[in-house]
Amino acid sequence: MMLKTEKESIRTRKIVICIAIISLLLTTGYCLYKPLPDGFTVTKWDRTVMHVVEPALRVAYYYPSRMFSKASDMVYWTRAVMNVLTKVLGVFTSTNGQLDIQWHNWKGTPVKSYRPINNKTSTDGAVIFIHGGGFALGNVEMYDSLVGRLALEMKTLFISIEYRLSPETVFPGGIMDCEAAIDHFLQYGTTQFGVNTSKVIIMGDSAGGNLATVIAQRRAARQKLPKLAGQVLIYPLLQMADMQTMSYRYFNSHLQGYALVDPESVAYYYMFYAGIDMDEKAYLVPSVTSNGHVSKKLQSKVQKIMSHSSIIEKTHNYKNISVSEKWEIQPSVEAQELMEPFLTNPDFSPLMREDLSNLPPTLVITCEFDILRDEGLVYGHRLKTSGVPTTTIHYENGFHAMLNFHSDLDEAMKTVEDIEQWTLDTISRA
């Protein structure tokens, strides 16, 4: 009788524990649930995946990063978490030993080459890839899955650059690293890999898109040979002089609190990249995100360049969804003095370069749910009006960094296909 009572007691405790766990999970799920905006991703499967992934990202890095008293600790935490999380992304993409992958050191910069086994390439060109991450996050390993997939499916040599990150290395350190590696490749690529160095495409996403843009502009301005055959800019980060574009304002109206690239993060990362100690200067962020960091001396040039955004707003108006008006500027003389050397410097903010002629054929990828949307669209428009052969592809259901889900989401898979097709076509025409 005693034994039976004990068994029933154990069973009861197990049931209570199970109920408590289920209740905790349901409560947590309820607290974390945020309905995704209409049009965010394409298929029901994609939305289901993102309803799981987006709250997980909030728990993993978004919420914890807001708890640090020092901005640098926020960067280091996010860097560590993203390094772990991205090992899971793209796990269903396997090169199955079909690529020869090797590390090299070119003029002090580590790079990784991805080449079809036995050099069975479909082209004699190559692609140089520069990863994103706000100049402070990311690495070559994080993009292994994506770059390996592109190299395998395109049967083309890819080179991925491991440039130094901020806040440890500030502007223009990353540019110098990338240029050193690229100069080495263009000098020795023919003998080392058998490629035609006049058929080299430069490609980058987010901050990597910034670096790719800067390098293409610098090579064109200096008339360096061989010329790049093309550039692929994937939701590029191109400026921080106007943080009240419509895409920024849409974020503030409808996307606050989601684990997506937000204005405050852009301000922190860009200012770290500029060499500003954000552990001490975090109080400047509200001025920056309201455009109070733009001095009167720079305003006319910024307004001239950003005037193109009015054309963008007529055709990309979020389907008439209400977007907040521009909020009041909080001017800061200190922020203006600190940022004046950078805001219209095209090596820092490549959208601000006035002469865009002589640039190579360009593909610009933009996404609807991205605060960087408008600057990518503006750059694409300016390239076209400057006579540069330019293709802009705007994904109305896309979001920033979606290529990190290239094996999981339909919209990301479609983007990969578009990038591959444009790149192969451009190499063949070079």
Side-chain angles (χ1 to χ4, degrees):
M1 185 70 178
M2 179 87 77
L3 185 61
K4 183 176 180 181
T5 303
E6 287 180 0
K7 286 182 178 180
E8 289 177 350
S9 178
I10 292 171
R11 189 184 314 128
T12 300
R13 286 200 298 272
K14 287 182 177 179
I15 293 172
V16 170
I17 290 171
C18 288
I19 292 173
I21 292 172
I22 292 172
S23 299
L24 178 62
L25 291 173
L26 290 173
T27 302
T28 302
Y30 176 80
C31 293
L32 290 175
Y33 175 76
K34 288 171 69 73
L36 295 173
D38 290 341
F40 190 92
T41 69
V42 181
T43 66
K44 290 182 179 179
W45 169 252
D46 284 2
R47 287 183 71 84
T48 300
V49 169
M50 291 311 299
H51 267 304
V52 174
V53 171
E54 192 276 327
L57 292 175
R58 271 187 276 139
V59 171
Y61 83 90
Y62 182 81
Y63 293 147
S65 69
R66 268 56 184 174
M67 298 169 62
F68 292 107
S69 58
K70 294 173 63 176
S72 58
D73 289 339
M74 173 189 71
V75 171
Y76 300 142
W77 171 266
T78 305
R79 185 187 292 178
V81 170
M82 296 308 292
N83 285 347
V84 172
L85 289 178
T86 51
K87 293 181 186 300
V88 179
L89 302 175
V91 293
F92 300 111
T93 299
S94 173
T95 57
N96 294 320
Q98 298 178 69
L99 292 176
D100 177 16
I101 302 175
Q102 296 186 21
W103 278 101
H104 313 267
N105 189 296
W106 293 344
K107 296 186 177 181
T109 301
V111 304
K112 203 172 190 179
S113 63
Y114 305 73
R115 179 166 55 166
I117 290 293
N118 299 321
N119 202 27
K120 292 182 178 179
T121 55
S122 63
T123 77
D124 58 349
V127 178
I128 297 171
F129 186 87
I130 307 176
H131 70 78
F135 309 107
L137 312 174
N139 52 44
V140 165
E141 184 180 357
M142 186 180 293
Y143 282 76
D144 260 343
S145 174
L146 174 61
V147 176
R149 174 180 181 168
L150 292 168
L152 180 62
E153 294 181 352
M154 292 172 59
K155 294 182 173 60
T156 298
L157 171 69
F158 267 70
I159 304 295
S160 188
I161 301 178
E162 190 79 279
Y163 60 92
R164 291 169 296 168
L165 302 175
S166 67
E168 299 93 333
T169 300
V170 301
F171 171 84
I175 299 171
M176 299 298 101
D177 291 349
C178 292
E179 284 191 326
I182 291 168
D183 286 345
H184 176 96
F185 179 70
L186 292 176
Q187 183 177 357
Y188 298 105
T190 300
T191 55
Q192 188 171 356
F193 296 100
V195 302
N196 183 339
T197 53
S198 67
K199 295 185 177 183
V200 174
I201 305 285
I202 192 169
M203 180 184 298
D205 74 310
S206 194
N210 174 294
L211 295 171
T213 306
V214 168
I215 291 165
Q217 290 180 354
R218 285 161 63 96
R219 291 188 67 84
R222 297 169 184 177
Q223 299 183 344
K224 294 188 71 170
L225 297 175
K227 292 183 177 181
L228 293 171
Q231 58 178 336
V232 179
L233 312 177
I234 305 167
Y235 30 76
L237 173 63
L238 300 175
Q239 62 86 35
M240 71 169 298
D242 186 0
M243 300 185 76
Q244 292 210 48
T245 64
M246 181 177 281
S247 53
Y248 270 93
R249 298 190 333 258
Y250 174 82
F251 184 97
N252 280 278
S253 300
H254 300 280
L255 297 177
Q256 283 284 5
Y258 288 92
L260 300 170
V261 176
D262 60 278
E264 290 76 17
S265 293
V266 172
Y268 274 110
Y269 289 133
Y270 235 145
M271 293 174 80
F272 266 131
Y273 181 53
I276 298 169
D277 186 351
M278 295 308 291
D279 288 344
E280 296 182 358
K281 305 293 184 181
Y283 59 84
L284 296 177
V285 169
S287 293
V288 173
T289 55
S290 69
N291 291 345
H293 64 312
V294 184
S295 66
K296 291 183 179 179
K297 179 181 176 181
L298 302 181
Q299 285 177 0
S300 60
K301 181 171 183 177
V302 171
Q303 290 170 359
K304 177 183 176 183
I305 297 295
M306 298 310 297
S307 66
H308 294 270
S309 61
S310 62
I311 297 170
I312 305 306
E313 291 178 4
K314 291 177 182 177
T315 55
H316 294 83
N317 61 1
Y318 294 101
K319 301 175 183 176
N320 297 317
I321 293 174
S322 62
V323 176
S324 63
E325 296 296 323
K326 291 187 176 183
W327 47 92
E328 183 179 355
I329 294 175
Q330 300 180 37
S332 166
V333 173
E334 182 181 9
Q336 292 169 11
E337 291 176 348
L338 287 170
M339 295 308 300
E340 187 169 311
F342 304 101
L343 293 185
T344 58
N345 180 347
D347 288 351
F348 186 83
S349 301
L351 184 63
M352 295 297 152
R353 187 176 291 275
E354 295 188 10
D355 182 7
L356 300 182
S357 61
N358 201 35
L359 286 169
T362 303
L363 171 64
V364 182
I365 299 291
T366 57
C367 296
E368 190 80 348
F369 300 98
D370 180 12
I371 60 175
L372 308 182
R373 182 198 76 161
D374 289 2
E375 55 205 69
L377 291 170
V378 166
Y379 193 59
H381 172 75
R382 290 188 60 221
L383 287 169
K384 289 178 182 179
T385 58
S386 297
V388 177
T390 304
T391 301
T392 55
I393 305 180
H394 180 66
Y395 296 90
E396 292 189 353
N397 308 100
F399 57 94
H400 193 84
M402 69 178 178
L403 281 190
N404 291 325
F405 303 90
H406 64 90
S407 63
D408 307 299
L409 302 179
D410 285 356
E411 189 82 331
M413 294 178 194
K414 175 64 167 59
T415 307
V416 169
E417 293 173 2
D418 290 339
I419 290 170
E420 290 176 343
Q421 188 61 60
W422 185 93
T423 304
L424 287 172
D425 289 346
T426 302
I427 290 175
S428 68
R429 289 194 297 266

